[in-house]
Amino acid sequence: EFIQLTGNDDNALEFNKLGGVGAIGVTANIAAKLSSDFQKACVEDKDKAIKLNNILQPLHTAMFIESNPSPVKYAGSLLGFCSPDVRLPLVEVRKETKNIISEALKVAKLL
């Protein structure tokens, strides 16, 4: 009767194994299908869930290297969803972070 959701993308697999039923995730903003497929697999196919989790982990890490939502906005800009602009006091991500985000999107086959 009580639905438990995690707010941490990176621990969703373990959370779901312990009875959780989903996530309110940041990564889903840029990898909606992968995130959805992962959540379905947690219920239907544990091996597939592990495989998808491994694909998603670099994205999860990249989305939190700097203050949210700057990394998500940059990733979204690479995918053509939005501009990378953020309002002050936030700033765009650093060049090093841009490279990490780009690589994570490539690992996930989104770029």
Side-chain angles (χ1 to χ4, degrees):
E1 293 181 29
F2 186 77
I3 296 173
Q4 294 181 334
L5 303 171
T6 184
N8 290 45
D9 298 82
D10 63 338
N11 75 5
L13 180 63
E14 295 304 316
F15 181 83
N16 289 343
K17 284 181 182 178
L18 296 172
V21 294
I24 299 171
V26 172
T27 304
N29 288 291
I30 57 157
K33 177 136 176 47
L34 271 174
S35 296
S36 175
D37 289 349
F38 164 74
Q39 289 297 331
K40 288 176 190 170
C42 284
V43 174
E44 299 169 1
D45 184 344
K46 303 299 183 201
D47 290 334
K48 182 177 180 182
I50 292 167
K51 181 180 175 184
L52 291 172
N53 185 61
N54 290 337
I55 292 168
L56 285 165
Q57 281 302 324
L59 281 174
H60 299 328
T61 300
M63 294 303 99
F64 292 96
I65 291 174
E66 295 186 36
S67 295
N68 186 24
S70 297
V72 178
K73 292 279 290 190
Y74 180 71
S77 74
L78 292 177
L79 298 172
F81 297 156
C82 60
S83 78
D85 301 331
V86 292
R87 293 178 289 175
L88 291 174
L90 299 171
V91 295
E92 286 189 35
V93 294
R94 296 171 293 136
K95 183 178 180 176
E96 299 82 23
T97 301
K98 289 179 179 182
N99 293 335
I100 293 168
I101 292 168
S102 179
E103 288 305 311
L105 290 169
K106 289 175 185 172
V107 167
K109 296 183 174 40
L110 296 172
L111 270 185

